[in-house]
Amino acid sequence: MNYTDIDARPTTQTERRKAMTEQPKNYTGGPSLEQRFRQYLSAFDGKKKDFSKVEHLFDALFHKDFFETTNNSQHQQTVSREQTKAIHAMYFAMGTRATLIHYRRIGLHTIDISYHLFNDQVDVLVRQLSSRMQNSIVRTQQVSCRKVALDDDGKKSFTIDETECSAFLYMKARFSVEY
């Protein structure tokens, strides 16, 4: 008997009854990308911690081929996944707190994310466009970053580093899907 014969044969009464009473199986792919992002950001709770305790959250959120493009003084810099991991480890060691400002899907594979990181030494406000692939972040283009260095008393000093990418780079990051 070939597959055509199986498809063409009439359905038996037993098969119909089984199909009607059988409950559909729910296959969930686990938490969504937004849920994983919020979970990772909530790990920045202001307590100093070793990165090894949250590394599994980082690995679940960022694709193995992840890279980030940042804007520094009129030129772009590419940051690898390992460099990003080292930066995040430093923020965890400093006892950084994080607040999500917005998380918006603006395209099929693009997410507009803005968040605030702060601790005793630095206050950073970041906005970035992230490209997703296989339910993880594969690429991030920094749109703007405002970093304020704090003095020893925790008061704001006048060391402000603010970068913003041009409209061209923003639109290129917004509409390009590079995998």
Side-chain angles (χ1 to χ4, degrees), residues 19 86 130 136:
S130 298
S136 60

Side-chain angles (χ1 to χ4, degrees), residues 1-2 4 10 34-35 47-48 51 54-56 58-60 66 71 95 113 119 142 145 154 157 176:
M1 181 182 284
N2 60 33
T4 307
E34 181 176 0
Q35 289 169 329
K47 297 176 185 165
K48 294 181 181 183
F51 188 73
V54 294
E55 190 169 11
H56 66 284
F58 181 92
D59 292 337
F66 171 80
N71 304 300
I113 302 170
N119 58 39
Q142 186 182 74
C145 179
S157 67
S176 68

Side-chain angles (χ1 to χ4, degrees), residues 71-87:
N71 304 300
N72 295 327
S73 304
Q74 304 298 329
H75 72 282
Q76 290 191 334
Q77 178 182 2
T78 302
V79 180
S80 71
R81 183 178 194 269
E82 292 306 314
Q83 290 168 321
T84 301
K85 193 181 273 194
I87 292 167

Side-chain angles (χ1 to χ4, degrees), residues 43-50 91-97:
F44 288 95
D45 57 4
K47 297 176 185 165
K48 294 181 181 183
K49 59 180 81 168
D50 187 44
Y91 280 131
F92 277 110
M94 293 166 63
T96 302
R97 292 186 63 92

Side-chain angles (χ1 to χ4, degrees), residues 128-155:
Q128 58 194 22
L129 294 177
S130 298
S131 298
R132 64 184 188 90
M133 184 172 72
Q134 299 171 351
N135 211 19
S136 60
I137 297 174
V138 71
R139 175 179 181 264
T140 295
Q141 167 70 48
Q142 186 182 74
V143 176
S144 64
C145 179
R146 183 181 147 262
K147 183 183 270 187
V148 178
L150 304 175
D151 62 15
D152 293 334
D153 297 335
K155 296 179 183 171

Side-chain angles (χ1 to χ4, degrees), residues 32-44 61 100-103:
S32 70
L33 183 60
E34 181 176 0
Q35 289 169 329
R36 280 191 273 164
F37 185 82
R38 288 176 183 274
Q39 185 179 19
Y40 183 68
L41 216 57
S42 70
F44 288 95
L61 182 61
L100 181 64
I101 297 169
H102 73 255
Y103 182 103

Side-chain angles (χ1 to χ4, degrees), residues 112-123:
D112 183 0
I113 302 170
S114 183
Y115 54 91
H116 182 210
L117 297 172
F118 54 97
N119 58 39
D120 293 340
Q121 299 165 0
V122 71
D123 188 321

